[in-house]
Amino acid sequence: MEGVLENKNTFVVRYGELALKGLNKPYFERALIERIRNVLRKYDGIEVRREGGLLLVRAPLDLSESQIIDDISKVFGVESISPVLEVKSDIDEISNASVEFMKDVIEKRGIKTFKVEAKRSDKNFPLTSPMIARQIGAAVLKGCKVLKVDVHNPDCKLFIHVRRDKTFIYEHKISAFGGLPLGTNGKGLVLLSGGIDSPVAAFLMAKRGMEIESVHFHSYPYTSERAWEKVKDLAGNLSTYCGSMKIHSVNILPIQEEILKNCPEDELILLVRRFMMKIAERIALSTKCLMLITGENLGQVASQTAESLVVTDNAVNIPVMRPLIGMDKSEIIDKAREIGTYETSILPYEDCCTVFMPKHPKTKPKLEKILESESLLDGDSLIENAIKTKETITIFPE
Ligand code: ATP
Ligand code: MG
């Protein structure tokens, strides 16, 4: 296109909350740029850099624009992305490029109305912002006969940002997840089942900048190889947001069998859950994870009533994050769909908890009673032996 400065696909990347981080802003910005570079590393010729207060990504023209937007939008800390044209800061060049740009938008999105919003950072530019907006608006109306101006509710807002060295032309913003760049908020260990909830819980903590490792409990041979494949697939889905991710897998079957042998059947789930937490705590301490993360949700099932959560929580000293605690199942499912884990989560492979599901699990357990049952077991050696079965793999983003 005539007048266009860079023969590249260029994008403006905006970050929301990061901008508020005061003196720590450079640290967060560096982390964000590093993450964007990382997810785009698979392509050649990508440039990520700050220019005059804007974060810009430039990619060779032969790379798909939508693929790059998709990749960048998975980086936590990014609030929105817009493809931009860079042209010389000259009103005729800006007008011509704007008309071409809008023709393209009409073709892509079939818009009927528009509005121009102009901003002038270079105060030496001969026109004021309202004058730029008017002039470009007139040029677009003349060049694109199907368009009308609608200042209140336009189908497309055309942004013109005039700076000294060049002018940026762009339109709608593609929203991303926001949050904070990965690695700026410590590391947590998620108890990752094959269900719908725990991947969403991991996602929400990672979105706040937390690096994620995971532990999965299986009851092999009662649980199958396919159930394990499913967990790896879920970790693969998550790793597109969270970066490469470790899964520690631990066999919990001997513990389940000991409990079944020695304790009341209706306490099985809670006792198993306490062991899961304790084993996870041990792994967290040895992997520098600061907290545990679960997909627990108030009242969803018998093991997640308020009374049951008290019993589970009491098992460990490490903080336990339950980011889904107040969500409804439908909200969790929406989120799982949005992040792309839902379809994998609903595959019907058995989980270690469902293998020995009691018919009437306790819903209002008493802590003293559970502790009494637990004291019938040799907890320490059960935990030691379970940890000996631990196998660790690392899942890399696709
Ligand atoms: P999810 O959908 O995450 O499986 P759920 O609704 O099935 O959750 P529970 O089975 O009670 O609920 O599990 C509660 C939480 O305990 C899970 O969200 C997860 O964090 C953890 N958990 C359950 N089973 C396992 C497992 N096999 N391995 C690791 N963590 C597990
Ligand atoms: Mg489950």
Side-chain angles (χ1 to χ4, degrees):
M1 197 183 292
E2 201 192 327
V4 172
L5 287 181
E6 297 272 348
N7 221 8
K8 296 258 167 141
N9 271 327
T10 306
F11 307 87
V12 172
V13 177
R14 290 176 210 80
Y15 38 91
E17 205 171 320
L18 281 194
L20 305 173
K21 290 285 171 201
L23 289 179
N24 285 328
K25 190 172 159 185
Y27 163 70
F28 284 96
E29 269 176 350
R30 271 199 304 277
L32 183 72
I33 290 173
E34 193 50 41
R35 271 299 293 159
I36 295 175
R37 286 204 175 114
N38 234 313
V39 298
L40 299 178
R41 184 159 288 160
K42 56 190 169 189
Y43 309 116
D44 285 333
I46 299 278
E47 192 183 293
V48 184
R49 58 166 156 154
R50 291 196 47 200
E51 250 180 61
L54 291 177
L55 182 51
L56 295 178
V57 174
R58 293 199 180 88
L61 283 176
D62 57 343
L63 292 179
S64 136
E65 184 179 288
S66 59
Q67 181 61 50
I68 290 178
I69 290 175
D70 195 54
D71 287 328
I72 300 174
S73 66
K74 289 188 172 134
V75 173
F76 295 131
V78 173
E79 196 170 79
S80 68
I81 306 151
S82 304
V84 302
L85 273 188
E86 300 172 83
V87 298
K88 219 167 105 190
S89 289
D90 167 277
I91 192 67
D92 291 331
E93 300 231 5
I94 301 170
S95 293
N96 292 340
S98 296
V99 172
E100 294 304 312
F101 184 81
M102 290 305 276
K103 282 184 182 161
D104 208 36
V105 178
I106 295 169
E107 198 179 307
K108 275 192 202 143
R109 301 204 288 123
I111 56 155
K112 301 251 180 328
T113 57
F114 79 109
K115 168 190 181 179
V116 181
E117 291 199 359
K119 180 172 153 190
R120 180 182 63 149
S121 310
D122 174 17
K123 299 298 173 204
N124 292 322
F125 192 73
L127 303 175
T128 63
S129 302
M131 287 156 85
I132 300 168
R134 262 199 309 278
Q135 195 153 331
I136 302 298
V140 170
L141 279 174
K142 198 164 151 219
C144 307
K145 298 285 185 223
V146 295
L147 287 186
K148 290 197 168 51
V149 172
D150 179 345
V151 288
H152 299 297
N153 192 19
D155 297 337
C156 166
K157 277 188 196 160
L158 175 64
F159 296 97
I160 310 288
H161 185 172
V162 180
R163 300 168 356 137
R164 190 184 331 227
D165 51 343
K166 64 181 102 162
T167 291
F168 292 111
I169 300 175
Y170 53 98
E171 53 128 9
H172 77 308
K173 303 173 178 179
I174 297 138
S175 308
F177 289 104
L180 297 170
L182 214 57
T184 55
N185 246 322
K187 185 163 66 162
L189 181 68
V190 64
L191 284 78
L192 188 65
S193 68
I196 296 170
D197 303 333
S198 42
V200 176
F203 172 90
L204 290 177
M205 295 304 286
K207 183 183 150 191
R208 299 302 303 167
M210 181 163 267
E211 209 183 309
I212 303 289
E213 275 192 36
S214 61
V215 54
H216 175 70
F217 298 97
H218 62 86
S219 312
Y220 194 78
Y222 288 92
T223 52
S224 64
E225 193 59 37
R226 285 203 303 188
W228 171 232
E229 290 300 322
K230 175 179 168 180
V231 172
K232 288 196 285 187
D233 285 348
L234 283 173
N237 295 152
L238 283 173
S239 72
T240 59
Y241 307 98
C242 308
S244 51
M245 187 164 137
K246 284 199 171 114
I247 317 178
H248 307 282
S249 84
V250 172
N251 191 344
I252 197 138
L253 180 61
I255 294 181
Q256 291 173 305
E257 288 173 335
E258 269 308 288
I259 297 172
L260 274 176
K261 220 185 288 165
N262 296 290
C263 308
E265 196 212 2
D266 62 358
E267 293 176 358
L268 171 74
I269 297 279
L270 275 172
L271 287 164
V272 172
R273 296 203 51 72
R274 284 176 56 88
F275 273 99
M276 282 186 180
M277 300 300 263
K278 288 180 195 216
I279 294 167
E281 179 179 45
R282 289 273 293 268
I283 295 174
L285 294 177
S286 68
T287 52
K288 298 201 167 67
C289 289
L290 301 171
M291 39 190 76
L292 302 182
I293 302 162
T294 77
E296 286 163 313
N297 168 254
L298 188 59
Q300 194 183 88
V301 287
S303 59
Q304 296 175 28
T305 61
E307 290 82 356
S308 296
L309 288 173
V310 168
V311 170
T312 309
D313 205 56
N314 164 276
V316 289
N317 290 316
I318 190 169
V320 182
M321 298 293 126
R322 300 178 168 90
L324 312 186
I325 197 72
M327 288 167 80
D328 287 348
K329 191 73 188 186
S330 60
E331 294 173 281
I332 301 172
I333 288 176
D334 286 349
K335 198 77 202 165
R337 284 216 167 94
E338 186 188 358
I339 67 176
T341 52
Y342 183 74
E343 296 302 326
T344 313
S345 287
I346 58 172
L347 294 173
Y349 308 128
E350 66 300 314
D351 179 59
C352 68
C353 293
T354 46
V355 172
F356 300 107
M357 193 60 142
K359 280 196 198 63
H360 300 290
K362 269 214 178 340
T363 55
K364 294 199 185 311
K366 292 241 170 358
L367 181 59
E368 313 82 74
K369 182 72 190 38
I370 300 289
L371 292 177
E372 208 176 290
S373 303
E374 203 172 75
S375 70
L376 303 172
L377 307 166
D378 182 356
D380 287 343
S381 69
L382 285 173
I383 291 172
E384 283 299 328
N385 288 332
I387 285 178
K388 280 187 199 143
T389 71
K390 182 179 74 143
E391 288 175 43
T392 301
I393 61 165
T394 304
I395 301 286
F396 296 94
E398 295 118 29

